Amino acid sequence: MDKKIFQVYLAKADVPNNDAYATLDLPASPWELWDAIEKVRLKDGEELYVEIEDYYDFSCLAPHLSGLDITLMELNNLAAHLSELDELQQIGFNGLLQIAVERKRWENAGILTVQDMRDLSVSADCCHVADVTDDAQLGRFYAENDFVPEVNGLPNELFEMLDFAKLGKKMRIEEGGVYTGNDYVVQSRNLRTAPPCQKGLPQKPDYLFRLMLGLHPDIGDDRTVTLILPAAEAELLDAQEQLGVEGWEGVTVIDYDGIIPYAAEFTDLPMELEEFNAFTKAARDIPRSEVPKLKALLEQFEVRDIETALFLTEHLADYVLTPDLSSPQETAIDHLRFMTDDHSAELLLSHVNLYAYGCDLIKEDNATLSPYGLLHRADYQPMLSPMQETQKMEMKMK
């Protein structure tokens, strides 16, 4: 899903002292959605706040989506449809959007709904697009292409005397067409209805890692194969056989999704597929509750190689992650409640600079607020990167 349609900001709605949030480009894969929800740390009964921060090439939707009651899943579904449009279809979508807005205005039918926009996203080819920018060009285009029978066969001198602007305006009004900057769009057939999509949070996928492979575009072969990882060696060999290759030369990654969404970024896939397969096995074998800690460590140390990622899977017990803490204020409140009873802690809250107190506690514990919660070493020593840890051990041995 390389084409970005929206960038969204996600957080809990109306939760004081909470700084948990996520930014996410849509369309997003199932595990990317769950990773964002995990960063927000949304619990049952809590409301997810969704704000679109960037519309990329679809700024035409900003006036219609801004303030609209739309769920993350509906927005992701809309983005998925829009990501499939080619350049001409995107022009068609922009035009059909304008036509729909004008039609709503004429009919006094209110604003565009989520379903309206989803219907438009799957109907971008239900129109004609002409490379004209005003009524004069439109009139000439129609006259020259035999769309106006009354002027067919006119001598060239008489043809050039036609009021093309008047003709173009007449045609535009009659057929309800619109200009979209450098193009003219007119609806040519009824719009399709987008299939239903869920509004609630997505179900977790039944795979941990999924990889779709294909051959390099220069080869001119559209064969693909999907691997669910970790995979047995026989499955990797079978994938090569299906693609007609020996080894991974000439093979490219078409799509990736995994419980650790950015894992593919620190691996040279598919050339390091065997090593990546070993990492997915290690990730599978750790308790599911430990996965957020692994993700926090991968981000904390900015891991960019598979060896370090594997090293961290073997040393998770050296670290502690507290997902419930997302801010210095929450850290301070948690510590006050640990030191005294809840009633006494509540009395203290209004008399304490929670932010400053929390920052001091975090510094004292050599901790950091990761996107997944408060992270620190189990022994409260400074968090060194795996490479620094190795260097430290080597110095002690000398």
Side-chain angles (χ1 to χ4, degrees):
M1 296 187 181
D2 294 332
K3 190 174 180 181
K4 301 176 182 178
I5 306 300
F6 308 119
Q7 183 183 81
V8 295
Y9 169 86
L10 308 173
K12 293 181 182 182
D14 303 321
V15 179
N17 298 317
N18 186 274
D19 288 347
Y21 75 95
T23 57
L24 182 65
D25 283 324
L26 302 182
S29 69
W31 276 122
E32 286 174 327
L33 290 169
W34 270 109
D35 181 65
I37 292 166
E38 199 166 62
K39 288 178 178 177
V40 175
R41 282 152 264 176
L42 198 70
K43 298 178 181 177
D44 291 342
E46 292 181 328
E47 182 182 351
L48 180 65
Y49 172 77
V50 182
E51 179 182 339
I52 303 175
E53 293 190 320
D54 200 328
Y55 288 83
Y56 296 111
D57 293 335
F58 285 88
S59 57
C60 60
L61 285 172
H64 311 290
L65 285 174
S66 179
L68 192 66
D69 184 17
I70 183 170
T71 68
L72 175 61
M73 292 303 292
E74 289 175 312
L75 195 57
N76 194 54
N77 181 267
L78 173 61
H81 290 309
L82 293 174
S83 70
E84 296 174 356
L85 304 183
D86 58 29
E87 185 176 353
L88 183 62
Q89 289 172 332
Q90 186 170 330
I91 294 171
F93 172 81
N94 290 344
L96 290 174
L97 179 69
Q98 289 187 42
I99 292 170
V101 171
E102 288 298 318
R103 189 169 294 151
K104 289 274 188 180
R105 186 178 295 119
W106 296 335
E107 298 172 354
N108 195 25
I111 62 174
L112 288 179
T113 65
V114 176
Q115 185 62 44
D116 289 332
M117 284 179 268
R118 293 180 60 249
D119 291 346
L120 291 170
S121 70
V122 298
S123 304
D125 59 348
C126 297
C127 62
H128 294 306
V129 177
D131 184 19
V132 297
T133 60
D134 56 34
D135 288 342
Q137 291 183 13
L138 180 64
R140 177 178 286 276
F141 173 81
Y142 274 178
E144 289 179 344
N145 289 278
D146 301 328
F147 291 112
V148 188
E150 296 84 353
V151 303
N152 289 350
L154 281 179
N156 189 58
E157 291 183 1
L158 291 177
F159 183 85
E160 291 298 330
M161 294 173 65
L162 293 173
D163 187 341
F164 293 113
K166 184 177 180 180
L167 177 60
K169 180 179 180 181
K170 176 178 180 295
M171 299 297 292
R172 173 173 56 81
I173 293 174
E174 286 180 354
E175 62 189 12
V178 295
Y179 295 109
T180 63
N182 296 322
D183 299 278
Y184 174 76
V185 178
V186 58
Q187 185 174 333
S188 58
R189 57 183 183 272
N190 291 335
L191 302 181
R192 302 184 184 92
T193 300
C197 77
Q198 69 180 90
K199 293 185 178 182
L201 297 179
Q203 292 184 341
K204 289 186 178 180
D206 57 3
Y207 55 85
L208 292 183
F209 297 89
R210 185 183 65 191
L211 195 64
M212 180 182 288
L213 302 173
L215 298 175
H216 193 278
D218 292 344
I219 298 177
D221 191 316
D222 60 359
R223 277 181 288 179
T224 64
V225 63
T226 298
L227 280 170
I228 302 300
L229 303 175
E233 183 178 355
E235 293 175 294
L236 299 181
L237 293 173
D238 182 60
Q240 292 177 359
E241 184 176 344
Q242 291 183 54
L243 293 172
V245 296
E246 292 185 8
W248 301 112
E249 195 71 36
V251 179
T252 186
V253 176
I254 297 175
D255 190 35
Y256 162 79
D257 189 30
I259 193 170
I260 302 174
Y262 42 84
E265 297 177 10
F266 54 70
T267 315
D268 181 19
L269 291 175
M271 301 308 294
E272 291 184 337
L273 184 51
E274 282 77 9
E275 294 85 347
F276 185 67
N277 192 45
F279 170 73
T280 63
K281 183 178 184 300
R284 179 199 63 188
D285 292 343
I286 66 176
R288 190 62 60 87
S289 60
E290 293 283 86
V291 173
K293 187 198 297 186
L294 175 58
K295 292 194 289 186
L297 289 168
L298 290 169
E299 289 205 13
Q300 171 67 22
F301 297 128
E302 299 180 344
V303 174
R304 292 293 180 270
D305 63 277
I306 198 70
E307 292 81 8
T308 304
L310 276 166
F311 176 87
L312 288 174
T313 64
E314 299 166 358
H315 290 81
L316 290 177
D318 295 343
Y319 301 89
V320 175
L321 178 73
T322 309
D324 289 340
L325 303 183
S326 68
S327 68
Q329 294 92 323
E330 287 185 337
T331 304
I333 293 170
D334 180 72
H335 192 259
L336 288 173
R337 287 177 174 160
F338 173 76
M339 291 194 306
T340 185
D341 60 272
D342 287 347
H343 177 69
S344 299
E346 289 298 324
L347 292 175
L348 281 170
L349 292 184
S350 61
H351 302 284
V352 176
N353 184 332
L354 296 175
Y355 178 80
Y357 184 35
C359 287
D360 286 346
L361 289 170
I362 292 169
K363 183 178 180 181
E364 179 71 17
D365 290 344
N366 293 305
T368 186
L369 285 169
S370 80
Y372 302 93
L374 186 70
L375 179 70
H376 61 80
R377 284 186 58 94
D379 58 9
Y380 294 98
Q381 293 300 305
M383 283 196 296
L384 303 177
S385 70
M387 182 177 293
Q388 291 171 322
E389 291 280 6
T390 302
Q391 292 172 346
K392 183 179 177 180
M393 291 296 295
E394 289 175 350
M395 290 179 64
K396 286 184 177 181
M397 293 172 64
K398 289 181 180 180

